């Protein structure tokens, strides 16, 4: 993690108008034969057809506000300006936001309206605009960034996704997104298929991580500690899946960068179907301190240098912080 640098201009401020418009047109066209995520459903969302994300070409926003629960480099003193998109391109049976991600609670929003939300969040002092579950509505969001940019938006764009992306689409986001924040859920394809309904997850997420890092590099923060650009990876440690977590950490250290900022999360609880169906009994409990410590110890063993950890699980006092 690069520290102490002066604030930089967000990438999208330098993207030429013609290039921005071409990106928007290209992405918009993909709604008609949808390949925006790794499911590659190929449905015509412009005609009202639904793929895995269960939504047509209308973007829905469930809520937006300054979020103080994100990592320190994102939330700072004034919060991360989160815009939660309804629906999701993954179907995690343990989703804590299932009302939004699975049951589509949200209001329709045009690119213009999303741009207004972004500008409002910046005006309220938020340090960035943080698109949550953005993948299936990337056309709207890229257009919203351009509209907001043209009206003066000047804070970083955070792409807060599940990692089940397509490299071809990520390439269209280069120069638009400043901070990629994938929640890398699994290092095990069988578990990904069972619990997140995401076939071929591991090959997709590893290719996506390589592309994200190629575009923005390791996480950089300014002299106030706020993130300005780079890759921030989250991994939620799951019960009975320590080996999956280890594989994720090994990949990051060996294939991406030992300086990757990794939030090793311990807050798993069995929400939604994980708490209701016997088929998912393996994940029907919180993780143990032993599981968490084993994962953290492995992260250190493989040489990861920027770990954001849950101190309460390590009996170190406080809540969260870099170790």
């Amino acid at each position: 993690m690069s520290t102490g640098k002066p604030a930089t201009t967000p990438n999208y401020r330098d993207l030429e108008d013609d290039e921005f418009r071409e990106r928007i047109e290209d992405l918009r066209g993909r709604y008609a034969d949808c390949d925006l995520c790794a499911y590659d459903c190929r449905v015509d969302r412009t005609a009202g057809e639904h793929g895995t994300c269960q939504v047509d070409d209308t973007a829905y926003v469930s809520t937006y506000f300054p979020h103080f629960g994100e990592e320190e480099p994102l939330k700072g003193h004034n919060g991360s300006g989160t815009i939660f998109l309804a629906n999701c391109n993954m179907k995690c049976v343990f989703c804590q936001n299932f009302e939004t991600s699975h049951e589509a609670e949200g209001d329709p929003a045009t690119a213009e309206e999303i741009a207004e939300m972004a500008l409002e969040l910046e005006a309220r002092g938020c340090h960035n605009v943080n698109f949550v579950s953005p993948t299936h509505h990337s056309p709207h969001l890229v257009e919203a960034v351009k509209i907001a940019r043209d009206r003066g938006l000047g804070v970083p764009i955070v792409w807060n996704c599940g990692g089940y992306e397509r490299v071809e689409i990520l390439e269209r986001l280069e120069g638009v997104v400043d901070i990629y924040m994938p929640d890398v859920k699994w290092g095990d394809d069988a578990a990904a298929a069972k619990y997140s309904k995401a076939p071929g997850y591991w090959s997709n997420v590893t290719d996506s991580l390589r592309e994200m890092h190629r575009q923005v590099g390791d996480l950089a923060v300014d002299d106030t500690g706020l993130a300005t650009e780079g890759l921030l990876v989250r991994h939620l440690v799951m019960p009975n899946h320590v080996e999956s977590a280890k594989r994720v950490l090994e990949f990051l250290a060996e294939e991406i960068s030992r300086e990757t900022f990794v939030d090793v999360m311990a807050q798993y609880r069995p929400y939604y179907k994980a708490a209701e169906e016997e088929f998912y009994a393996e994940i029907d409990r919180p993780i143990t301190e032993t599981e968490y410590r084993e994962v953290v110890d492995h992260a250190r063993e493989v040489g990861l240098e920027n770990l954001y950890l849950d101190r309460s699980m390590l009996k170190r006092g406080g809540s969260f912080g870099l170790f």
Side-chain angles (χ1 to χ4, degrees), residues 264-278:
V264 184
M265 300 186 293
Q267 66 262 39
Y268 175 78
R269 297 293 184 275
Y271 292 99
Y272 194 40
K273 295 180 181 179
E276 300 171 357
E277 299 184 17
E278 182 65 26

Side-chain angles (χ1 to χ4, degrees), residues 65-68 74-81 121 124-127 226:
F65 57 88
H67 198 326
F68 292 90
L74 295 181
K75 69 180 181 180
H77 293 293
N78 298 325
S80 176
L121 290 166
R124 294 171 68 179
C126 292
H127 305 295
L226 290 171

Side-chain angles (χ1 to χ4, degrees), residues 85 114 131 133-135 137-146 159:
L85 282 298
I114 296 171
F131 293 128
S133 298
T135 305
H137 282 310
S138 50
H140 279 77
L141 301 181
V142 172
E143 184 175 359
V145 172
K146 183 182 187 304
W159 201 257

